[in-house]
Amino acid sequence: MNINSKDWYAWLNTMPPKPDDFHVVGDVEVANPGIEACLTMRSPQGIVPQALMLDLHLVQRPGNWIQQLSWTQARFDRVMPPNSPVYTTVEIFYEGKRIAFIEEIHSPS
């Protein structure tokens, strides 16, 4: 299945107080407004610890929904454990296929 997505963005929040937290967001086109887009860490992760791999899951909420193409936001949030790798790239997969690649991780200066 092909899926449309856009506007992927990732950032590491290093502002005090600790711990740091990492975030990824993007917009995904879905078949109806009752579908939620969720991002989870891929298992297993790749061999490069600085490259975060995420899986996109689409979950239909119960109820009757108009069948109309809509955009919904997918989001991933993680509190970074001590001594965790600093991510330099993020790959997003849907049904085993890569749909997005983020190579610029933003961080407050």
Side-chain angles (χ1 to χ4, degrees), residues 1-23:
M1 172 182 184
N2 287 337
I3 190 161
N4 293 324
S5 68
K6 63 182 182 179
D7 299 334
W8 290 101
Y9 185 80
W11 72 97
L12 174 64
N13 178 8
T14 58
M15 298 299 288
K18 291 287 186 185
D20 297 341
D21 47 271
F22 188 79
H23 309 275

Side-chain angles (χ1 to χ4, degrees), residues 30-35 60-70:
V30 294
N32 68 67
I35 296 176
Q60 177 68 61
R61 290 183 296 179
N64 295 321
W65 298 92
I66 186 170
Q67 296 303 300
Q68 169 183 327
L69 290 177
S70 308

Side-chain angles (χ1 to χ4, degrees), residues 32-84:
N32 68 67
I35 296 176
E36 293 180 349
C38 306
L39 292 170
T40 60
M41 288 183 72
R42 189 160 217 210
S43 182
Q45 287 287 299
I47 59 172
V48 179
Q50 296 82 11
L52 177 63
M53 299 168 73
L54 301 174
D55 281 322
L56 171 67
H57 304 279
L58 300 180
V59 179
Q60 177 68 61
R61 290 183 296 179
N64 295 321
W65 298 92
I66 186 170
Q67 296 303 300
Q68 169 183 327
L69 290 177
S70 308
W71 289 94
T72 190
Q73 186 180 76
R75 183 176 183 103
F76 175 80
D77 300 295
R78 180 175 190 218
V79 174
M80 301 303 289
N83 302 319
S84 59

